[in-house]
Each structure stands twice: as C-alpha cells, then as structure tokens.
Amino acid sequence: MADGAPQKPVYGPEDGGRADLGEPGTFPYTRGVYPTMYTTRPWTMRQYAGFGTAEETNVRFRRLLAAGQTGLSTAFDLPTQMGYDSDHQLAAGEVGRVGVAIDTVDDMAMLFRDIPLDQVSTSMTINATAAILLAMYVVVGEEHGVSRTALRGTVQNDILKEYVARGTYIYPAEPSLRLVTDVFRFVSDHDMRFNPISISGYHIREAGATAVQEVAFTLANALEYVQRALDAGVPLAAFGPRLSFFFAAHNDLFEEAAKFRAARRLWARLARERFKADDHTARLRFHTQTGGVTLQAQQPLNNVVRVTVQALAAVLGGTQSLHTNGYDEAFTLPTAEAATLALRTQQILAHESGMTETVDPLGGSYYVEHLTDTIEREALALVEEVDAIGGAGRAIEQGFFQEAIARSAYAQLKRQESGDTVVVGVNRFTDDASPPVVASVDFGELARRQQDRLEQTRLTRDAAAAGSTLADLKTAAGGTGALMPLILEAVRARATLGEISDVLRDVWGVYRPG
C-alpha cells in the first residue's frame, strides 16, 4: 500500500470481504451506484481547463469539446478564488496564472461564448466565491435564453477543506458555511439540475493525506454540510440527491480502486444511519482527478504512464466522471498537445480496453475486497474520532485534520527520500537530461488587458444600480436572510466579483488561522 503498510503475498477466502458485496446499483453500492454502470454509457470525460483570459480559455474549451470531451471543468485564477478583482493590489502577479480571470458576468459570458449551456454540463472549481460564480453562470444563461432549470453542472463550494488543505478561504467558518447552505437552498428552491457542492477529498490527498484519511475526512466534512443544511431548514430530499464528491487517484492501482469502493459503501451506511437517507442520497457519486502531486518534472513523459494507471484505478473503482492530467503539468500549464493526449487516454480506456463491458470487474477479488474492508474500517474509526471532537467544523478549528495530514505527508516524504518508495526518474532510474524549457507567457500584458476590460465595465454600467444592489447585500449579510437572490441582482447590475466579496468582508471579516 502507498502508506507503507505491509501486505501479504497471497490473499484468499479467509481474508473476508466477499460476503457483503451485494449487486451493482443496490445498497450499500460497493459495486457501483448504478446497475449497468459503463455498459450502457461511459463515465463523463471532464477535462479541467482554465488559464489567462476568458477568450483564451474559451478556445481551449471548444477545442476539447471538438475532440470528444463530454463535460467542462473550469479552473479559476487565485484572485478570482480569493475574491479580488484583477486590478486589486493583492492580485498583482497572479492574474490568469493558475486559471482563468473572472471579474464580471461579462467575463463569464466570454468564457462560454458559442458553447450551448443547455447541452453541456459545467463543473466549477471554486469555493469561497462559489455563490458569486454560480450567480454569474445563471445570469449568463438567462441573458442567452437558457433558463436556470436547463443548466447542468457542479459548483465545488466546499469551504471546509480550504481551511484544512488548500487555503483559498476568505471569511471565518460560520458565515462561510452560511453561504454554502444558501447555495443549497437556492439550487433546490429553483429546481436546478446543478450539484450545489462537490465535497472534495482531492485536495486533502494532494496535501499529503493517506487513502484512509482522504475517505474519512471527506465524509466527515459531508456529514457536517448535511447537518448544517438541515439546521438551516433545507429538507434533505431537496439537496441530498445532488450531493457530489471529488477524489484523487494516485499510483497504487488496487488500493485506489478499493478506496473508491470503500468510500461509496461507508457513505451509504453513514447517510442511512445518521439521516435516514433514501437511496438517492445514500448513493455516493463522485468525480476523480488523477494525482497532480504525483506528476514529476524529471522525465515528464513517464507521467503519461502514471496518469494511465490512475485513470484505470478510477474507472475500476466506479467513478462518474474523470479528469486526466497532462504529462507536462509538473512544470507548466498543460499544452494543447498534452491536454489532448490526456483526453485520448480516457477515450482509449473507454473504447479499446474492454473496461466498459462488465460492471465492477474487480468485485470478488480476495485482495481488493480485503483492501476495501480495511479502508472502510479504518476510515470509519477516523470519522468516529471526528465525531468525538464535535464534528468536522470543531475538528478543523482544533487542527485535528491538519496535524494528521502533516504527519502522513512527512512520513511519505521520508519514505521517498530514503528510497523505500521508488519514484522512477526521481530517486531511481535517473538520467542527466536537462529540465524542459517552458515557453514564457507575458502575464503582465495579460493582466493589463484584463484590467482594461474591467475598467470599461465600471465606466459603462449603471453605477447607481450597482451600488444599490451592493448596499442591499450588505444589509442582508448582517442579518439571517437568503443571500443568493441579492448576489444575483448585484451580478446583473455588473457589480464585480471583488466588490461583492468586499461587501461580505466588511460585514463578516476575514479568517485568520490560529
């Protein structure tokens, strides 16, 4: 196993795991959430993309769709994630670097230009500003004749893992959780075909968590979100079937496949036991991304093989959608060539490998079922530790998640540095090849173009109308009412992402780690 735990050379009937298999599509969903899985339709191929300006990312989106991609996944730059406009002093040097810069609803319209929003599903990796970006997406749809009920996709909206592993938080936890549940309410009230959250273990794993910790902490966060939404008066039936999850796929093929099976089974049991959830809520549906942290700058073509193994694990584990990383992402934003090859990797698995001809082909494997049992058992023990602290929110406040991940990350690093964990091309089978030469992007010019467009929006909008919507939002933020309708009005009036975020910062303050 990837955490260094010893494994037996041979597994057999005495190692358990086969008695509780069940059938695909039936509780507890060990073998998959649907009876037929990929035999009737492959997983959604949803490549993650976003860089520079909306125009540039739109070109990449349309190229991927033309190449056969079946869903969009959007990366936003750090200022957008942190609630700063592109001309804010804290955005200097970061505009468009790790994702697309979105300041106004007009940027969002440009991002999806010539893409029929009623025919594709869109995932948005955004958390602290998720409500604003969702509002922009809704307004773009409305202004192009697509009703909100016709929009399909997912907004990540998972703020708890930001405090644990990623750091793109803005506000303290309590108002942030209020905003999360407000998105739940908005999506359910308007009967949208949109997942209001993607509860993410991916970033937890990338920070150094083990497979067991990834499952446990993701599900502990999910339990917290469900309880918060219920406490806010949102019925479980209104949002439970729209809960989605997001996991990483790393290199240990069988452990990763077992991890997905264990997560599905454990969530089914927790949801039913704790919330009396029906089958629609108990089904854990998830997106997978291959492991960014596993990519190496040395001998980068080796990453093609790593990504293939990881994608194979995700499919064997029953993922609903998949992103495969470009082989060059250890040192640059993926080139068009690398992004296309990553998509082709999925297409080969779907159409040439025989992977879609049967459901859960690993089901009944002595080894895989043993791993599935082990991961479920150990993850449940961790969830119960979190319960004893008072739930995920309290555990994060006390640093429980953070300390556990830091310890496992350090242990992984020690194994790699000692050579106990082999990384081909890094600590064994190395060569003297020079690192790749990365083409330089003029991010300064990119930022100036984005800032000019932002300034033009401010000059041409109805300033009084924008100011009025922001004042209404500020008043509501100080109370307890719904915020999404007011954020929508602000977006329609061309208030910027930074202006809306600043209003909430003024009322709620900002989070400062202890």
Side-chain angles (χ1 to χ4, degrees):
M1 293 176 69
D3 64 2
Q7 297 296 294
K8 292 167 43 173
V10 178
Y11 286 81
E14 70 278 5
D15 294 300
R18 294 159 64 90
D20 193 27
L21 270 182
E23 295 296 325
T26 63
F27 185 90
Y29 309 108
T30 311
R31 307 196 65 193
V33 290
Y34 304 117
T36 57
M37 290 300 290
Y38 311 135
T39 61
T40 52
R41 189 182 72 174
W43 58 94
T44 298
M45 300 176 193
R46 191 186 301 280
Q47 292 298 101
Y48 189 47
F51 56 93
T53 63
E55 295 98 324
E56 293 168 308
T57 304
N58 174 263
V59 171
R60 176 65 61 85
F61 277 172
R62 288 189 284 120
R63 181 180 293 140
L64 286 167
L65 289 170
Q69 178 170 300
T70 52
L72 297 175
S73 182
T74 311
F76 299 96
D77 72 358
L78 285 175
T80 303
Q81 295 181 51
M82 299 296 291
Y84 294 115
D85 288 333
S86 294
D87 59 357
H88 193 284
Q89 61 182 1
L90 292 179
E94 294 293 344
V95 176
R97 279 192 179 268
V98 298
V100 61
I102 299 293
D103 294 312
T104 71
V105 69
D106 295 322
D107 290 333
M108 185 70 90
M110 177 61 69
L111 181 63
F112 294 101
R113 182 172 58 87
D114 297 330
I115 295 173
L117 297 186
D118 55 347
Q119 297 178 34
V120 299
S121 64
T122 300
S123 173
M124 294 186 280
T125 302
I126 196 74
N127 296 284
T129 55
I132 303 171
L133 271 296
L134 177 60
M136 287 182 177
Y137 195 73
V138 169
V139 171
V140 168
E142 290 174 351
E143 293 183 352
H144 289 79
V146 180
S147 71
R148 62 189 63 171
T149 57
L151 299 174
R152 295 180 294 121
T154 301
V155 62
Q156 192 164 95
N157 198 29
D158 175 7
I159 199 61
L160 289 176
K161 65 95 174 50
E162 296 298 325
Y163 301 116
V164 173
R166 195 160 172 269
T168 62
Y169 44 71
I170 302 175
Y171 321 110
E174 288 302 319
S176 294
L177 286 165
R178 173 187 171 190
L179 207 50
V180 168
T181 56
D182 205 58
V183 171
F184 281 32
R185 181 184 292 106
F186 176 80
V187 168
S188 63
D189 284 353
H190 294 273
D191 197 29
M192 291 182 67
R193 298 162 64 193
F194 228 86
N195 300 322
I197 194 167
S198 175
I199 306 154
S200 174
Y202 180 86
H203 304 99
I204 291 171
R205 187 65 178 280
E206 292 284 285
T210 65
V212 168
Q213 290 170 337
E214 180 187 2
V215 172
F217 296 160
T218 303
L219 299 191
N221 285 346
L223 295 172
E224 181 86 14
Y225 287 126
V226 170
Q227 191 58 58
R228 292 289 183 140
L230 294 174
D231 291 346
V234 186
L236 183 61
F239 69 88
R242 286 287 175 190
L243 295 173
S244 65
F245 293 79
F246 175 24
F247 292 109
H250 281 204
N251 288 330
D252 190 318
L253 175 67
F254 296 111
E255 180 182 51
E256 291 299 289
K259 177 190 74 179
F260 300 128
R261 300 168 89 250
R264 197 160 45 234
R265 188 163 72 198
L266 181 54
W267 174 250
R269 290 172 171 167
L270 289 170
R272 182 164 290 186
E273 290 168 6
R274 302 200 180 190
F275 305 115
K276 296 182 173 55
D278 63 13
D279 287 347
H280 296 294
T281 297
R283 287 191 185 103
L284 186 149
R285 298 169 302 108
F286 66 99
H287 171 72
T288 307
Q289 181 172 337
T290 57
V293 76
T294 70
L295 300 175
Q296 306 299 330
Q298 300 94 325
Q299 302 177 17
L301 285 176
N302 295 344
N303 293 328
V304 176
V305 183
R306 293 184 177 102
V307 168
T308 303
V309 170
Q310 295 164 10
L312 185 61
V315 173
L316 288 170
T319 193
Q320 275 60 70
S321 64
L322 178 61
H323 164 90
T324 36
N325 290 329
Y327 67 84
D328 54 3
E329 288 188 60
F331 50 86
T332 185
L333 291 168
T335 60
E337 176 192 46
T340 302
L341 178 58
L343 177 59
R344 295 288 182 252
T345 301
Q346 294 201 50
Q347 291 167 334
I348 290 169
L349 287 178
H351 300 290
E352 296 187 25
S353 72
M355 294 283 291
T356 61
E357 294 180 7
T358 189
V359 178
D360 189 29
L362 294 182
S365 158
Y366 296 128
Y367 181 47
V368 171
E369 298 303 347
H370 165 77
L371 288 174
T372 302
D373 285 353
T374 300
I375 293 170
E376 182 189 17
R377 181 177 64 252
E378 293 180 1
L380 177 58
L382 266 181
V383 169
E384 289 172 344
E385 282 192 61
V386 174
D387 289 340
I389 295 170
R394 185 66 58 84
I396 290 168
E397 284 179 3
Q398 296 185 13
F400 176 79
F401 288 16
Q402 298 92 314
E403 290 175 14
I405 294 168
R407 286 194 298 271
S408 66
Y410 180 62
Q412 291 174 43
L413 180 61
K414 285 179 64 178
R415 288 194 299 273
Q416 182 173 323
E417 290 181 341
S418 69
D420 290 341
T421 296
V422 175
V423 183
V424 174
V426 177
N427 64 4
R428 197 180 297 183
F429 314 113
T430 58
D431 59 31
D432 297 325
S434 300
V437 176
V438 179
S440 177
V441 175
D442 188 347
F443 284 104
E445 174 58 26
L446 183 152
R448 283 189 290 275
R449 285 190 280 117
Q450 183 66 20
Q451 291 160 3
D452 288 346
R453 188 159 68 186
L454 175 60
E455 180 63 22
Q456 187 64 26
T457 295
R458 290 198 182 108
L459 289 173
T460 57
R461 71 186 179 184
D462 184 333
S468 176
T469 63
L470 292 171
D472 290 343
L473 177 61
K474 185 170 186 176
T475 300
T480 59
L483 299 177
M484 274 298 294
L486 298 170
I487 293 173
L488 274 167
E489 290 305 314
V491 164
R492 285 196 189 96
R494 271 47 187 179
T496 71
L497 174 135
E499 290 167 344
I500 295 169
S501 300
D502 282 344
V503 163
L504 300 179
R505 264 188 277 259
D506 287 345
V507 178
W508 294 340
V510 296
Y511 176 73
R512 305 289 184 194

